[in-house]
Amino acid sequence: MLDLAIIGGGPAGLTAGLYATRGGLKDVVMYEKGMPGGQITLSSEVENYPGICEPVSGMELMECWPKQAMRFGLKHEMEEVKRVRRECDGSFTLELLSGKTESAKGVIVCTGSTPKRAGFEGEEEFLGRGISTCATCDGFFYKDKEVAVLGGGDTALEEALYLAKIASKVYLIHRRDTFRAAPSTVERVKNNPKIELILNATVKKAYGNEMGLEGIIIEQNGKEIDLKVPGLFVFVGMKVNNEVLKQEDGSFLCEVNEWGEVVVDLRMRTNVPGLFAAGDVRSDASKQVVCAAGDGATAAINAIEYIEKIGELKPC
Ligand code: FAD
Ligand code: NAP
């Protein structure tokens, strides 16, 4: 039986692995379905991770993280975890997509979240090269430039307000003429002189060159508009990657909130003893690399304490 299983190999999972193994746990496996690094590897420029003097790509930022964690004994299995179950002795069973199973005394879920795609032509091509899903991360690259935001929910409108403090102008594109966002936020957006609303409109296509995005084609009331902007922020909802916690009867193994985020306390503990969550998958996450890494460290420190305290598991 493993001491600890970590699900997900992004900043949260890798940091959890580093702290768990360096903190003395012997059998620690990190399950990552792809290459370790997480969603930040999609970003072409990161400049807000502390200690980075010059902007680096997400790939560059994450390059050494797996090597560092594995130096202390973390094992990486390139496997997708299908489900986590809790057994009557308090241990956890991980069902892997490959059909194998593994047991662990403790589990840290670090599966992240995935921004939804709007589905227009060129969206994937320019993601990380002008198309962004994170204003805190990429807004500064558009200082005193014009940008567009797509979406009509709380995230789109709040991020449009944030971007209006940095960019010279923000075009807010929404497919209807009423918003899903809170009325007070809608008022603030409407009263902001730097935000121009483009309503009943959809983005048809993003275009550019090898340097990045040059503009977008919008369709509004049957007419096409060519908006020349170097940046488009897409906020059409987030998918929380909580599937591993879904049980066969459709319930969740631990408490999740109305948006599907895993509810944790300040020690990253869920309401199930031995089950922790860290990074973008947890409730109230700031959705930043530095925060995910901090969560991973916190979860691992508390998982070590939990595993040391329970000692050997008692049979059912
Ligand atoms: P993730 O990075 O999402 O990692 C989760 C990992 O879990 C993934 O590797 C996934 O493959 C794996 N996984 C999921 N489910 C399973 C499963 N069932 N089995 C096995 N493995 C699984 N943040 C910043 O601080 N600064 C920035 O400049 C910045 N720029 C960004 C730019 C872009 C384009 C994007 C998309 C995000 C950006 N972010 C930035 C946000 C940052 O990437 C996230 O906050 C951070 O990666 C979250 O880390 P995490 O470990 O919680 O999750
Ligand atoms: P959301 O509420 O689901 O809104 C997504 C928006 O994107 C909607 O306006 C939707 O349009 C639009 N959209 C969806 N698919 C699209 C597509 N393919 N093309 C164009 N537009 C598309 O998502 P969110 O804004 O990320 O918020 C998620 C949840 O978190 C919400 O419950 C929200 O209230 C909450 N949240 C709360 C706060 C806060 O309380 N301060 C802050 C952020 C988020 P339609 O409206 O036409 O469907």
Side-chain angles (χ1 to χ4, degrees):
M1 181 178 299
L2 301 175
D3 278 337
L4 183 66
I6 296 165
I7 311 175
L14 285 162
T15 311
L18 168 68
Y19 273 72
T21 48
R22 194 167 177 274
L25 293 185
K26 290 282 170 277
D27 292 313
V28 184
V29 172
M30 180 187 79
Y31 294 93
E32 166 55 60
K33 62 182 174 184
M35 289 304 289
Q39 55 174 295
I40 192 62
T41 55
L42 295 174
S43 175
S44 57
E45 268 194 321
V46 184
E47 61 178 4
N48 59 2
Y49 192 78
I52 304 290
C53 294
E54 296 293 331
V56 291
S57 71
M59 281 285 192
E60 285 166 332
L61 179 71
M62 297 313 293
E63 198 183 334
C64 277
W65 292 42
K67 204 172 160 192
Q68 182 190 18
M70 283 165 205
R71 200 150 65 83
F72 299 100
L74 177 70
K75 292 181 213 81
H76 167 215
E77 297 271 351
M78 203 188 263
E79 289 260 17
E80 181 165 346
V81 177
K82 202 170 107 192
R83 183 177 296 128
V84 185
R85 294 195 320 258
R86 190 154 195 260
E87 304 299 338
C88 53
D89 63 357
S91 68
F92 296 90
T93 300
L94 277 77
E95 296 174 16
L96 308 180
L97 205 63
S98 60
K100 289 191 265 180
T101 56
E102 185 59 84
S103 303
K105 290 180 185 169
V107 173
I108 307 179
V109 179
C110 305
T111 43
S113 64
T114 314
K116 286 185 189 161
R117 303 280 183 260
F120 55 83
E121 191 186 329
E123 189 176 15
E124 289 301 326
E125 188 185 344
F126 293 103
L127 191 69
R129 299 195 303 121
I131 294 184
S132 170
T133 53
C134 179
T136 324
C137 315
D138 300 329
F140 195 73
F141 300 127
Y142 303 100
K143 191 164 166 50
D144 301 325
K145 292 180 185 159
E146 295 196 346
V147 294
V149 167
L150 177 64
D154 279 308
T155 307
L157 272 68
E158 285 182 8
E159 299 308 295
L161 288 163
Y162 171 84
L163 286 164
K165 292 181 204 152
I166 303 167
S168 57
K169 180 163 189 162
V170 178
Y171 296 94
L172 178 64
I173 305 158
H174 179 39
R175 62 186 178 184
R176 296 187 293 137
D177 61 2
T178 52
F179 293 97
R180 222 171 256 279
S184 58
T185 312
V186 176
E187 263 325 288
R188 282 169 59 217
V189 163
K190 285 184 174 167
N191 291 333
N192 191 311
K194 282 171 97 181
I195 302 178
E196 182 178 325
L197 302 181
I198 304 181
L199 301 177
N200 297 314
T202 49
V203 175
K204 285 279 141 205
K205 184 182 170 181
Y207 64 88
N209 56 28
E210 61 286 347
M211 298 296 287
L213 186 75
E214 288 180 312
I216 52 178
I217 305 292
I218 300 166
E219 194 178 288
Q220 188 187 39
N221 303 323
K223 287 197 194 115
E224 284 197 349
I225 306 169
D226 183 354
L227 195 65
K228 293 198 172 8
V229 281
L232 168 67
F233 289 81
V234 178
F235 300 116
V236 296
M238 289 296 286
K239 183 184 150 294
V240 180
N241 299 328
N242 60 17
E243 294 84 357
V244 295
L245 295 165
K246 258 199 195 136
Q247 305 299 287
E248 252 168 326
D249 64 3
S251 67
F252 283 96
L253 178 58
C254 63
E255 192 188 344
V256 301
N257 66 17
E258 58 185 308
W259 300 305
E261 299 159 344
V262 183
V263 177
V264 290
D265 64 12
L266 288 175
R267 295 173 170 202
M268 304 301 136
R269 296 182 298 195
T270 68
N271 63 330
V272 172
L275 182 66
F276 301 79
D280 279 15
V281 74
R282 65 122 162 137
S283 50
D284 294 322
S286 302
K287 298 198 166 71
Q288 294 292 290
V289 175
V290 65
C291 305
D295 280 2
T298 304
I301 289 166
N302 288 287
I304 295 170
E305 190 187 308
Y306 169 82
I307 289 157
E308 283 174 352
K309 207 186 266 172
I310 60 164
E312 286 310 309
L313 292 165
K314 290 169 197 70
C316 300

